[in-house]
Amino acid sequence: MLRWMVRKKWWLLGAAVLLITYYFLLPAKLFTTPTSYVIEDANGELLSATIAADGQWRFPVANTVPDKFAQCITTYEDKRFYYHWGVDPLALGRAIKQNLGRHKVVSGGSTITMQVIRLARNKPRNLWQKLVEAVLATRLEFSFSKKKILALYAGNAPFGGNVVGLEAAAWRYYGRSAQQLSWGETAALAVLPNSPALVHPGRNRQTLMNKRNQLLDKLYQQHRIDSLSCRLAKLEPLPEQPLPLPQWAPHLLDHFRQDAAQQKQQGTTRIRTTVEAGLQRNVTGIIERYQRQYKANGINNAAAIVLDVETGNTLAYVGNIYNPADPELESHVDVIQAPRSPGSTLKPVLYAAMLNDGLLLPHTLVPDIPTQIAGYSPQNFDLGYDGAVPASRALSRSLNIPAVRMLQQYRYERFHALLKKMVITTLNRPADHYGLSMILGGGETTLWEMSGMYASMARTLLHLDQYKGKYDPDDIHAPNYVKGVQRPSEHALSNAGVLDAGAIWYAFQAMEEVMRPGEELLWQQFSSSQRVAWKTGTSFGFRDGWALGVTPQYVVGVWVGNADGEGRPGLIGVATAAPVMFDIFRLLRTSGWFATPYNKLRKIEVCRQSGYRAGDACPDKDSLWVPVAGLRTGVCPYHQLIHLDHTGQWRVTANCEAPDQMQHKPWFVLPPSMEFYYRSKNNYQPLPPYKPDCLATLTQDKAPMELIYPRPNTRIFVPIEIDGQPGQTIFTATHRDANAHIYWHLDNTYVGTTTEFHQMALHPAPGKHTITLVDEDGEEIKTEFEILAKEK
């Protein structure tokens, strides 16, 4: 009895060991072979794929198998697949009988489950391995459903050459997904894993056709297809040479691979993106059409992205012209992710930021005059000056000098920090490195981040209640391209947002007023025309052309240029990128416009001429809705009360005119340098001259004369001209009195007199100098400057 009890314990222990061993027979991961990176559109359509690291076209295993293939493969390979536990005794018995009868291996008797084990282990085919496969197959049946086992088989079976898996085979041989294959096409693929060498141009074509047709006959006999479907399927041709896989989004595929590598993802190499395949193809066609046109001017590359404003999802992603056969195109460069100089595309953000902080009102006049700041001299694109221009018009016309002066007022350190908050990550150097040139493209950013920033700004206007009228830091993020990844929709929102909705709305209003290329202002006459807020940018040296457009539904970003950074004449945003952007917008259904955020605006009186808050001296006032911070802005500094004689022709003072004989009148007065340029383009009334009787009693005037160039302590470099002589420096001044004479002195030496147009060409020697100007009334201004040593 004791011996029996001991023996029973040993039997139980042995059984337990066998059960534990059986449980752990299967590895944690059956297949460890590398798979192709695959991206699909939002509906599952293949966009692009790469070959796997081992040189095989092997897609990641799908969750399901098309019903046609399931019926074909089970009919051909394992007709009792859904009824056995991994091993089919009847099939094994039949195989042993056939093999013994013919004295060779005719049939293996392997079930689909056993074939999955064989594919995973890749061991020599012999009787011992067959027994191991049988045991492991039963273990596999306990771990996975029949549907999953079928998916593992379809994803790892060989289909000839370097094609592995049903999906890769469907695309390589038929150019369609497995779900879209006909009965004849599916049957041809179902017989391949049994003899994958059958599919090869010029080899065993008849054998493959016979096997396919036999399978179709079996399907008909089992009533899985009708007679007509069987006959039609037999008439279908066999596949010829392998077809290239679609490459509609190769750069997005590379971006996915880089993201996976950076995050060290061990998961699937397949993703379903938010891209819409039809839109992707159409945008690609537009990019290719314009690139063929621009290539005549040596402009080889272009990129475009379309974002959905509501979700931040990427709807189209064309990172470059894709033509690897032409090395000049540098097709491998994904320009959407490449840091490039953004030109003027940051100007709307600065405009909105200054409105947000109450530093200006929507139409406040800003200076547009020759400017030099610490050796930096910005220039407008047309090299002209307006003297003074409303801030909104300066944005719509993309004037550089007003933008630089606005940034000087806002402070580039603050703007640098603001852009960081708005997820512009490429400005990774200190603010001092960029300085004031930041607003003109002195730093680098990407089309990806710029488009995402514009989309987040637009989203603020769509969700005024949710975001409390602020561009909230919690909602600022880069665009998304993976389907199912949603931006945070419910989170605790801070009252301390980044940009006020009213400021953003005014920025978009100014951007909408930009003149469209080729259409001038005619588009506004058509009610069906799309309303688009848009901004272009051109980098220094004509290296990058940008265009960014916003509607309540979409953001479209376009870049045009050369991937190697070569500049080309005529490569400017409005002429190259903007036409592409508007052609893309024509593909999109846009409607409506951003609602005016009245709950974030306040109505105040503003001076019609200056755009500032109206003061007592402003004669013409308008009511205007402005951001709340605008209540803090100062009153108009350009209107002052002047005293005229009883005729209204002369200015007078109390020392030369009785007060009861005076007229007191408000007058719009700009500083002399602003007035000099402003009056040439605007209806401007200069101050009346003083009455001659008053000149003797006049003690001072408010800066009647100003030296426009050079500014104090300017350092001037004068190059050597072609003839070898040193070039001249053009000194420019202005005077309120159009008939005034100005007497010029260089280092206390008289050099000439000017009237009306006050310019003097001089060539001082290298070193520090003093320029002195004196008018007829003895008014004097004096400025120091330095001429740098000339170089040949």
Side-chain angles (χ1 to χ4, degrees):
M1 186 69 180
L2 181 61
R3 183 179 295 178
W4 181 83
M5 292 293 292
V6 172
R7 189 177 298 173
K8 182 179 179 181
K9 288 181 180 180
W10 280 106
W11 276 105
L12 291 174
L13 180 62
V17 171
L18 287 176
L19 284 174
I20 293 173
T21 303
Y22 183 72
Y23 181 82
F24 288 104
L25 277 177
L26 283 179
K29 189 174 183 180
L30 265 182
F31 293 92
T32 58
T33 49
T35 55
S36 301
Y37 279 89
V38 179
I39 60 172
E40 303 168 339
D41 87 328
N43 298 314
E45 181 177 338
L46 180 65
L47 291 174
S48 291
T50 63
I51 200 166
D54 60 354
Q56 305 292 310
W57 285 107
R58 184 188 298 108
F59 285 17
V61 175
N63 293 325
T64 59
V65 174
D67 182 64
K68 287 179 183 177
F69 184 79
Q71 294 191 53
C72 286
I73 198 65
T74 53
T75 300
Y76 187 73
E77 292 281 357
D78 190 355
K79 62 184 178 182
R80 283 178 290 277
F81 172 72
Y82 292 103
Y83 306 105
H84 61 65
W85 286 359
V87 178
D88 186 352
L90 295 178
L92 281 176
R94 185 190 72 249
I96 293 172
K97 180 179 179 180
Q98 290 178 344
N99 295 339
L100 290 176
R102 299 191 185 183
H103 305 287
K104 63 178 182 179
V105 178
V106 177
S107 174
S110 294
T111 63
I112 290 176
T113 312
M114 293 173 65
Q115 292 183 55
V116 169
I117 296 295
R118 184 174 72 246
L119 291 169
R121 297 177 72 241
N122 194 26
K123 299 290 185 179
R125 302 180 69 175
N126 52 45
L127 182 59
W128 169 249
Q129 295 299 335
K130 180 75 73 175
L131 291 174
V132 173
E133 290 169 7
V135 174
L136 291 175
T138 61
R139 176 67 185 84
L140 186 64
E141 290 278 349
F142 283 114
S143 299
F144 296 101
S145 66
K146 291 290 186 179
K147 182 184 295 185
K148 179 63 177 177
I149 292 171
L150 205 57
L152 286 171
Y153 175 82
N156 293 280
F159 283 84
N162 66 343
V163 180
V164 178
L166 173 64
E167 286 190 272
W171 282 102
R172 289 290 281 165
Y173 296 135
Y174 293 107
R176 297 192 300 282
S177 70
Q179 296 282 358
Q180 297 174 313
L181 297 182
S182 65
W183 279 108
E185 294 166 340
T186 304
L189 292 184
V191 304
L192 275 180
N194 187 269
S195 301
L198 288 175
V199 168
H200 192 282
R203 182 194 300 172
N204 299 330
R205 310 288 292 168
Q206 191 58 46
T207 304
L208 173 60
M209 182 170 289
N210 292 339
K211 285 179 175 290
R212 181 199 69 175
N213 292 344
Q214 290 171 8
L215 173 56
L216 290 170
D217 288 336
K218 286 184 179 180
L219 292 169
Y220 170 61
Q221 292 164 9
Q222 296 179 12
H223 306 290
R224 300 195 178 194
I225 59 175
D226 56 37
S227 60
L228 178 61
S229 298
C230 182
R231 289 198 303 272
L232 292 175
K234 289 181 179 180
L235 295 176
E236 295 179 16
L238 295 176
E240 299 293 337
Q241 294 187 3
L243 303 171
L245 268 68
Q247 292 296 341
W248 287 113
H251 300 96
L252 183 58
L253 177 64
D254 288 343
H255 184 53
F256 165 52
R257 293 177 63 184
Q258 292 171 11
D259 280 353
Q262 291 174 1
Q263 299 169 12
K264 297 182 179 179
Q265 294 177 352
Q266 301 298 321
T268 181
T269 56
R270 178 209 305 267
I271 61 164
R272 180 165 290 190
T273 70
T274 58
V275 170
E276 297 178 359
L279 180 62
Q280 178 76 10
R281 287 190 286 267
N282 287 333
V283 172
T284 300
I286 290 173
I287 291 291
E288 290 176 344
R289 172 163 54 86
Y290 276 97
Q291 188 269 344
R292 287 192 295 269
Q293 174 184 337
Y294 295 156
K295 194 174 181 182
N297 187 30
I299 302 172
N300 296 321
N301 305 101
I305 185 172
V306 180
L307 301 180
D308 178 84
V309 168
E310 178 68 35
T311 62
N313 289 340
T314 305
L315 304 181
Y317 187 109
V318 182
N320 202 342
I321 298 298
Y322 187 71
N323 184 5
D326 187 350
E328 185 180 2
L329 294 182
E330 299 191 66
S331 295
H332 64 282
V333 179
D334 180 2
V335 185
I336 290 178
Q337 301 295 337
R340 310 290 298 201
S341 168
S344 299
T345 54
L346 291 174
K347 289 176 181 176
V349 182
L350 175 61
Y351 176 75
M354 295 190 71
L355 289 175
N356 182 80
D357 291 359
L359 296 178
L360 53 72
L361 296 179
H363 311 303
T364 296
L365 284 180
V366 291
D368 182 22
I369 57 176
T371 299
Q372 186 172 65
I373 305 170
Y376 177 52
S377 300
Q379 296 290 330
N380 292 326
F381 188 79
D382 61 2
L383 302 181
Y385 308 97
D386 279 29
V389 62
S392 57
R393 193 176 305 164
L395 174 58
S396 65
R397 291 176 54 195
S398 195
L399 297 176
N400 292 337
I401 292 175
V404 170
R405 296 182 75 106
M406 288 166 64
L407 181 58
Q408 183 186 28
Q409 180 184 358
Y410 187 78
R411 292 180 57 246
Y412 62 79
E413 297 89 349
R414 289 177 62 197
F415 191 59
H416 183 265
L418 174 68
L419 294 176
K420 288 285 189 180
K421 289 181 181 179
M422 298 173 78
V423 196
I424 301 298
T425 64
T426 50
L427 297 175
N428 47 25
R429 297 190 180 186
D432 288 339
H433 174 79
Y434 308 105
L436 295 175
S437 68
M438 192 188 315
I439 196 61
L440 303 183
E444 290 186 333
T445 185
T446 64
L447 190 59
W448 179 253
E449 291 186 348
M450 289 293 294
S451 301
M453 180 177 66
Y454 273 72
S456 295
M457 291 169 67
R459 196 157 46 245
T460 300
L461 297 179
L462 296 183
H463 300 284
L464 291 174
D465 294 334
Q466 180 181 357
Y467 295 108
K468 297 181 174 64
K470 288 284 187 180
Y471 179 68
D472 197 276
D474 291 337
D475 186 52
I476 303 171
H477 56 81
N480 169 57
Y481 66 94
V482 181
K483 188 171 183 178
V485 176
Q486 299 294 333
R487 64 185 178 86
S489 58
E490 297 200 9
H491 45 69
L493 294 172
S494 166
N495 283 321
V498 178
L499 290 180
D500 184 89
I504 296 173
W505 185 82
Y506 264 112
F508 285 176
Q509 290 297 106
M511 292 165 63
E512 190 190 5
E513 295 175 3
V514 180
M515 186 181 297
R516 298 186 180 186
E519 299 183 11
E520 297 186 355
L521 297 178
L522 298 179
W523 67 274
Q524 296 178 347
Q525 300 177 13
F526 299 93
S527 59
S528 61
S529 294
Q530 295 168 303
R531 297 185 67 179
V532 180
W534 61 291
K535 185 73 187 74
T536 61
T538 304
S539 67
F540 178 78
F542 303 103
R543 293 181 174 88
D544 309 271
W546 293 67
L548 287 157
V550 184
T551 70
Q553 294 83 29
Y554 304 103
V555 168
V556 176
V558 175
W559 174 92
V560 174
N562 287 306
D564 61 4
E566 179 187 0
R568 296 298 302 168
L571 205 174
I572 57 176
V574 71
T576 57
V580 179
M581 181 194 70
F582 279 110
D583 272 6
I584 293 174
F585 266 118
R586 292 184 184 100
L587 300 174
L588 306 172
R589 293 182 178 179
T590 62
S591 61
W593 193 241
F594 299 102
T596 306
Y598 288 111
N599 60 329
K600 300 304 298 179
L601 300 174
R602 298 293 182 271
K603 183 176 284 189
I604 64 171
E605 287 190 330
V606 297
C607 178
R608 182 177 300 173
Q609 285 181 288
S610 70
Y612 280 85
R613 288 188 66 188
D616 294 337
C618 284
D620 300 318
K621 302 176 183 179
D622 291 324
S623 293
L624 183 68
W625 290 94
V626 302
V628 176
L631 299 175
R632 302 194 301 264
T633 59
V635 298
C636 176
Y638 299 132
H639 276 92
Q640 63 186 51
L641 197 64
I642 66 170
H643 312 293
L644 304 176
D645 68 347
H646 68 283
T647 67
Q649 297 180 357
W650 305 94
R651 273 190 293 166
V652 294
T653 68
N655 295 326
C656 61
E657 188 83 7
D660 60 347
Q661 296 295 315
M662 292 183 185
Q663 296 184 33
H664 309 289
K665 188 173 183 181
W667 208 276
F668 180 56
V669 183
L670 292 174
S673 57
M674 294 170 63
E675 175 188 304
F676 177 75
Y677 295 100
Y678 184 85
R679 67 188 182 191
S680 65
K681 298 184 178 181
N682 298 275
N683 182 19
Y684 180 81
Q685 274 190 301
L687 281 169
Y690 275 102
K691 193 173 183 180
D693 297 344
C694 294
L695 290 177
T697 62
L698 186 63
T699 56
Q700 63 178 14
D701 194 2
K702 292 187 177 180
M705 178 173 54
E706 185 175 349
L707 184 64
I708 297 176
Y709 184 83
R711 307 304 292 177
N713 301 313
T714 297
R715 303 178 72 196
I716 303 171
F717 170 72
V718 182
I720 300 296
E721 302 292 349
I722 297 177
D723 60 3
Q725 299 299 316
Q728 294 181 326
T729 301
I730 307 299
F731 294 77
T732 305
T734 184
H735 201 289
R736 290 198 189 280
D737 185 354
N739 299 316
H741 290 67
I742 295 180
Y743 305 94
W744 298 70
H745 302 77
L746 180 63
D747 299 328
N748 296 321
T749 301
Y750 171 74
V751 292
T753 303
T754 57
T755 56
E756 294 186 8
F757 193 66
H758 303 289
Q759 282 192 339
M760 182 71 67
L762 304 173
H763 42 83
K768 293 185 176 181
H769 301 274
T770 301
I771 187 77
T772 305
L773 281 63
V774 182
D775 69 4
E776 297 164 298
D777 298 323
E779 284 289 331
E780 176 183 287
I781 54 175
K782 184 179 294 187
T783 298
E784 293 184 352
F785 64 94
E786 181 180 1
I787 298 291
L788 300 180
K790 305 175 179 66
E791 297 179 4
K792 293 185 177 181

